[in-house]
Each structure stands twice: as structure tokens, then as C-alpha cells.
Amino acid sequence: MNLMSGNIVASQRDILGLPVCDLGWAEAFAFAEEVATMPFGQSVIAFINAGNANLMIRDPEYRAVLERQIVLPDGHGVDIASMLFHGRKFPANLTGTDFVPALLTYLARPMRVAMIGAQQATLMRAAENFRRHAPWHDFLPISDGFFDRAASDAVMERVREANADILLVAMGSPAQEKWIDRHVGPGHARLVLSVGNLFDVVSGAPHSAPQGIRRLRLEWLYRLVKTPSRLGRADLSFLYHVLRYKFSGTGEAHGRNDTAKAGSP
């Protein structure tokens, strides 16, 4: 499979029936920069890891939403699946808590970055820390993640009025991806990312893995030490789904090539 946007072409690997982008760090940054600076259209980026892959297996609506978005690989579990299905790891572990701050550093052109999600105090601390991290961008905390969902259109009107280039949504999976799919349109921002617990991490919450651990793709080991029972259940469930997909014949077509185009007109 291939994903194309302007000058960026990337293969996609079938992971449990979901196309996942095969990009290194440099290619992922270049792709995100290109779509964020387009004068029209919109691209939505999500991340797949063992935990939300398990959710996807049980939730057809969530799978359908991810199939409409651009999905990047996040974590050791997805690498294991790639090894079993394709004989090689992904070029990079593009976990959102690393990818998004690095992307903001990479983007030299000043951007207006709207933020939705987390607790109000966490959202405001994250915005302030982002301003210190990349002061040439304008960070706009639009709403915490606990607003009445009936007010979603009003929240998105605030994003539209802010003239945002990039929108970060931190509501946890699958809620954030489904909410983006239902309420975010091309007039709101050209690049939209679902970012999970990013605002907690950026605000200084202590529960994320240290950067060195993430660089070595050993978040699974860090989480195993911190919360062994939760990680064990999630990873065993994911491994079961991977092996079942591998040996049931469901994944016979993983190597076929199709064409997917990022962004909407």
C-alpha cells in the first residue's frame, strides 16, 4: 500500500487489517509539514499501539474511523506485529508524546496550534510549556476535554475563529479519534492529531516513560515494572490477536499494494 501527499510517498503496512504508515522520522516530519502548510484541505493523524489495537478489534466503528485517518506506529507491540507480518520493524517508533513535540520544533514556519483536551489546569500548563518549547508558535488552549459533547460544534467554532493551522486533541482512545471524525472538518485546521495523554506529559505529569526508555522502544518494559497486571493483559490480548490474524488466513493479503491519498479536498 502507498500513501501520497504532494512530494511525500510512503508505503503502508497491514497491521491487523489496518494500513499503518511506514515512515522514518525525517519523512514523517516532512509529510506533516507539507500538509500543515497547504492552503486548503485537511489531514488527520492517529497513532496505533497495542492498547488501542485491542480496542479496534472489538469496536468496528473505531476501526472504520482509523481507516479514514493517517495512522502512525506507536510502540514495541506494533513492531512485533510488523516483524511477524512483514519480517521487519517499522523504521521509527512515532509515539505521539515524542513525535508531536519534535514536530513542533521541526516546523520553522510559525503556526497557530489549537489544543483541546485533558483537565483545564493540565491544558493550561501544557500550553505554557509548549510556548517555552517552541516560542515561535502560537498555542491556543481552546477547551478542556470534559465539555458537554452537545457543545462540540460550539467548541469547533472557536477553533475556526482562532484560524488554527494545527489542532491537537487529547481525549484518549477511541473517544478522541471518533470525536475528530464526527466534528472536525477541513475549515478547522489543515493538520489534526489525536494525541492521547500528551498534555499530561507536557504539563509535567510523572507517569510517562523517560525519553531514553522511549528511544530504545522499551516503554513496554517500563510499564511492566510500573503496572505489571494491566500491561500483561493488554499485551497478551494484542499478541493473541496478532497470532490469530497471522495464522487464520485473514492476513493473507498483507503484501498487496493499493493506493491511499492523505487529506480531504
Side-chain angles (χ1 to χ4, degrees), residues 5-6 33-41 43 109 190:
S5 177
E33 180 180 42
E34 183 163 324
V35 298
T37 55
M38 284 181 176
F40 56 85
S43 295
R109 173 177 165 178
R190 284 172 293 285

mmCIF file of all heavy atoms in Angstrom, residues 5-6 33-41 43 109 190:
data_model
loop_
_atom_site.group_PDB
_atom_site.id
_atom_site.type_symbol
_atom_site.label_atom_id
_atom_site.label_comp_id
_atom_site.label_asym_id
_atom_site.label_seq_id
_atom_site.Cartn_x
_atom_site.Cartn_y
_atom_site.Cartn_z
ATOM 1 N N SER A 5 1.119 12.333 -0.486
ATOM 2 C CA SER A 5 0.692 13.708 -0.276
ATOM 3 C C SER A 5 1.752 14.608 -0.872
ATOM 4 O O SER A 5 2.871 14.682 -0.368
ATOM 5 C CB SER A 5 0.516 14.007 1.211
ATOM 6 O OG SER A 5 0.168 15.352 1.405
ATOM 7 N N GLY A 6 1.428 15.265 -1.979
ATOM 8 C CA GLY A 6 2.412 16.122 -2.619
ATOM 9 C C GLY A 6 3.635 15.335 -3.018
ATOM 10 O O GLY A 6 3.560 14.376 -3.774
ATOM 11 N N GLU A 33 4.763 18.560 7.832
ATOM 12 C CA GLU A 33 4.983 19.950 7.453
ATOM 13 C C GLU A 33 4.257 20.287 6.161
ATOM 14 O O GLU A 33 3.632 21.357 6.040
ATOM 15 C CB GLU A 33 6.473 20.229 7.289
ATOM 16 C CG GLU A 33 6.782 21.659 6.882
ATOM 17 C CD GLU A 33 8.264 21.912 6.733
ATOM 18 O OE1 GLU A 33 8.970 21.049 6.170
ATOM 19 O OE2 GLU A 33 8.732 22.981 7.180
ATOM 20 N N GLU A 34 4.314 19.377 5.203
ATOM 21 C CA GLU A 34 3.676 19.647 3.914
ATOM 22 C C GLU A 34 2.174 19.822 4.062
ATOM 23 O O GLU A 34 1.593 20.768 3.531
ATOM 24 C CB GLU A 34 3.993 18.520 2.931
ATOM 25 C CG GLU A 34 3.422 18.758 1.546
ATOM 26 C CD GLU A 34 4.064 17.888 0.493
ATOM 27 O OE1 GLU A 34 5.283 17.628 0.587
ATOM 28 O OE2 GLU A 34 3.345 17.458 -0.417
ATOM 29 N N VAL A 35 1.527 18.920 4.806
ATOM 30 C CA VAL A 35 0.072 19.032 4.916
ATOM 31 C C VAL A 35 -0.332 20.205 5.808
ATOM 32 O O VAL A 35 -1.370 20.831 5.590
ATOM 33 C CB VAL A 35 -0.559 17.708 5.407
ATOM 34 C CG1 VAL A 35 -0.297 16.581 4.414
ATOM 35 C CG2 VAL A 35 -0.072 17.320 6.801
ATOM 36 N N ALA A 36 0.493 20.537 6.798
ATOM 37 C CA ALA A 36 0.164 21.655 7.694
ATOM 38 C C ALA A 36 0.265 23.000 6.996
ATOM 39 O O ALA A 36 -0.367 23.968 7.418
ATOM 40 C CB ALA A 36 1.073 21.644 8.919
ATOM 41 N N THR A 37 1.070 23.073 5.945
ATOM 42 C CA THR A 37 1.278 24.350 5.254
ATOM 43 C C THR A 37 0.495 24.449 3.949
ATOM 44 O O THR A 37 0.633 25.441 3.226
ATOM 45 C CB THR A 37 2.773 24.567 4.971
ATOM 46 O OG1 THR A 37 3.295 23.443 4.249
ATOM 47 C CG2 THR A 37 3.552 24.726 6.263
ATOM 48 N N MET A 38 -0.312 23.445 3.641
ATOM 49 C CA MET A 38 -1.152 23.529 2.449
ATOM 50 C C MET A 38 -2.189 24.646 2.620
ATOM 51 O O MET A 38 -2.673 24.887 3.721
ATOM 52 C CB MET A 38 -1.873 22.206 2.210
ATOM 53 C CG MET A 38 -0.999 21.116 1.631
ATOM 54 S SD MET A 38 -1.954 19.594 1.353
ATOM 55 C CE MET A 38 -0.711 18.566 0.577
ATOM 56 N N PRO A 39 -2.573 25.314 1.529
ATOM 57 C CA PRO A 39 -3.559 26.393 1.635
ATOM 58 C C PRO A 39 -4.993 25.894 1.799
ATOM 59 O O PRO A 39 -5.892 26.693 2.074
ATOM 60 C CB PRO A 39 -3.387 27.154 0.315
ATOM 61 C CG PRO A 39 -2.867 26.125 -0.640
ATOM 62 C CD PRO A 39 -1.998 25.214 0.180
ATOM 63 N N PHE A 40 -5.210 24.603 1.631
ATOM 64 C CA PHE A 40 -6.566 24.051 1.746
ATOM 65 C C PHE A 40 -6.452 22.571 2.108
ATOM 66 O O PHE A 40 -5.362 21.995 2.126
ATOM 67 C CB PHE A 40 -7.335 24.203 0.421
ATOM 68 C CG PHE A 40 -6.629 23.586 -0.752
ATOM 69 C CD1 PHE A 40 -6.772 22.235 -1.048
ATOM 70 C CD2 PHE A 40 -5.805 24.356 -1.552
ATOM 71 C CE1 PHE A 40 -6.100 21.672 -2.115
ATOM 72 C CE2 PHE A 40 -5.126 23.786 -2.634
ATOM 73 C CZ PHE A 40 -5.287 22.451 -2.910
ATOM 74 N N GLY A 41 -7.608 21.951 2.409
ATOM 75 C CA GLY A 41 -7.618 20.537 2.735
ATOM 76 C C GLY A 41 -7.272 20.267 4.187
ATOM 77 O O GLY A 41 -6.988 21.178 4.968
ATOM 78 N N SER A 43 -5.549 16.914 6.811
ATOM 79 C CA SER A 43 -5.072 15.558 7.082
ATOM 80 C C SER A 43 -5.190 15.298 8.575
ATOM 81 O O SER A 43 -4.880 16.169 9.389
ATOM 82 C CB SER A 43 -3.620 15.387 6.628
ATOM 83 O OG SER A 43 -3.525 15.506 5.220
ATOM 84 N N ARG A 109 8.287 27.432 10.266
ATOM 85 C CA ARG A 109 7.270 28.451 9.997
ATOM 86 C C ARG A 109 6.338 28.575 11.194
ATOM 87 O O ARG A 109 5.823 27.570 11.697
ATOM 88 C CB ARG A 109 6.481 28.050 8.755
ATOM 89 C CG ARG A 109 5.278 28.924 8.457
ATOM 90 C CD ARG A 109 4.613 28.476 7.167
ATOM 91 N NE ARG A 109 3.278 29.046 7.027
ATOM 92 C CZ ARG A 109 2.501 28.844 5.973
ATOM 93 N NH1 ARG A 109 2.935 28.087 4.973
ATOM 94 N NH2 ARG A 109 1.302 29.383 5.910
ATOM 95 N N ARG A 190 -5.526 22.480 9.086
ATOM 96 C CA ARG A 190 -5.055 21.638 7.986
ATOM 97 C C ARG A 190 -4.410 20.349 8.473
ATOM 98 O O ARG A 190 -4.380 19.354 7.753
ATOM 99 C CB ARG A 190 -4.091 22.439 7.104
ATOM 100 C CG ARG A 190 -4.834 23.432 6.216
ATOM 101 C CD ARG A 190 -3.912 24.360 5.476
ATOM 102 N NE ARG A 190 -3.204 25.274 6.364
ATOM 103 C CZ ARG A 190 -3.776 26.347 6.941
ATOM 104 N NH1 ARG A 190 -5.053 26.597 6.764
ATOM 105 N NH2 ARG A 190 -3.069 27.144 7.707
#
